[in-house]
Amino acid sequence: MTSGACGRFGSSKASAPTTLLGDGVGSGLTVPTTTAAPPTTAGKPAATSSPAPKCQYTDPNSEIVYANRLKLALAVSTLCPKHADDIGFTLTVTNVSSEVVHYDKNQAQFFSLLAYPQGSGRLRWEDTNCQPPARDRNAPAANLNPGQSVTFSTLYPAPKSVSDREKCRRLEAGGYAANAVFLVCDNSYTDGYCDISKDTQFTAEHVLIDVGD
């Protein structure tokens, strides 16, 4: 995951014209030769602030096409979220072939965040952490017709309808790869149903993000 650019802006003012004492109206009057010096005050140094760090990633979207059959497009809502920020995910799958594709309506897990690079030891997250799949999943397969798209989306740590969603806010500071999968019933389609243990898994191209403190 997904990009910001920082810039500096400045402004300037033209100096106002200076009028010397004795010029203009009343210039013929006598002016005292001595005046009390105005009190002097030490100026405070101008406040400075460090610019916000620039996000190292710039593209919140990815796209991959499998054998002129399926196109998977993944999008994330933010590339450099803070620990307390929510992250949105959207997966759009398009049938770019000329034949119907059967997919598994019983799929429960679509999105995940895995530590990047691998082996860093940071906790992973999956969209089923706060929304475990139902025990009985017996929906028939769905058809994705040529040129048709289907879209799936969710929110990290969980949809706002989940009352205890904060218990799933588990990401640590550092890099993560946002991933998405889609299950197709290539070798598991029988009489209008899929066998989820035999489904073909298509994986979206990941999007890199960097989680802050």
Side-chain angles (χ1 to χ4, degrees):
M1 21 231 136
T2 155
S3 53
C6 301
R8 294 175 177 264
F9 299 90
S11 62
S12 61
K13 291 184 178 180
S15 300
T18 303
T19 301
L20 298 178
L21 186 62
D23 290 345
V25 178
S27 57
L29 300 179
T30 304
V31 179
T33 56
T34 59
T35 57
T40 60
T41 56
K44 294 182 179 180
T48 59
S49 59
S50 300
K54 185 177 180 180
C55 185
Q56 62 176 317
Y57 302 120
T58 59
D59 193 352
N61 304 287
S62 74
E63 187 175 290
I64 187 170
V65 177
Y66 286 95
N68 292 320
R69 186 182 182 209
L70 286 174
K71 178 174 71 174
L72 275 65
L74 173 63
V76 298
S77 62
T78 178
L79 294 175
C80 286
K82 299 297 184 183
H83 175 77
D85 292 342
D86 291 348
I87 307 170
F89 303 86
T90 301
L91 172 66
T92 301
V93 182
T94 304
N95 182 353
V96 295
S97 74
S98 59
E99 298 180 352
V100 174
V101 173
H102 306 294
Y103 67 96
D104 201 331
K105 288 282 287 185
N106 297 302
Q107 180 177 349
Q109 194 270 313
F110 288 86
F111 302 98
S112 62
L113 285 165
L114 308 180
Y116 184 87
Q118 295 181 357
S120 60
R122 287 188 293 277
L123 292 173
R124 63 184 289 164
W125 170 87
E126 294 178 349
D127 52 5
T128 50
N129 289 150
C130 269
Q131 290 187 300
R135 292 193 176 187
D136 297 324
R137 291 181 285 169
N138 299 310
N143 294 335
L144 192 62
N145 296 315
Q148 186 179 13
S149 296
V150 61
T151 299
F152 308 91
S153 60
T154 196
L155 192 67
Y156 166 85
K160 293 187 177 180
S161 59
V162 178
S163 59
D164 57 351
R165 67 195 295 268
E166 288 301 319
K167 75 178 184 181
C168 295
R169 194 178 294 280
R170 57 193 301 169
L171 299 186
E172 303 172 80
Y176 282 87
N179 299 277
V181 297
F182 182 65
L183 300 183
V184 173
C185 316
D186 280 336
N187 300 317
S188 61
Y189 183 75
T190 304
D191 296 330
Y193 286 81
C194 303
D195 181 347
I196 199 166
S197 66
K198 299 178 182 178
D199 287 344
T200 302
Q201 178 175 294
F202 289 85
T203 305
E205 189 75 19
H206 65 236
V207 174
L208 298 180
I209 70 172
D210 189 25
V211 179
D213 294 323

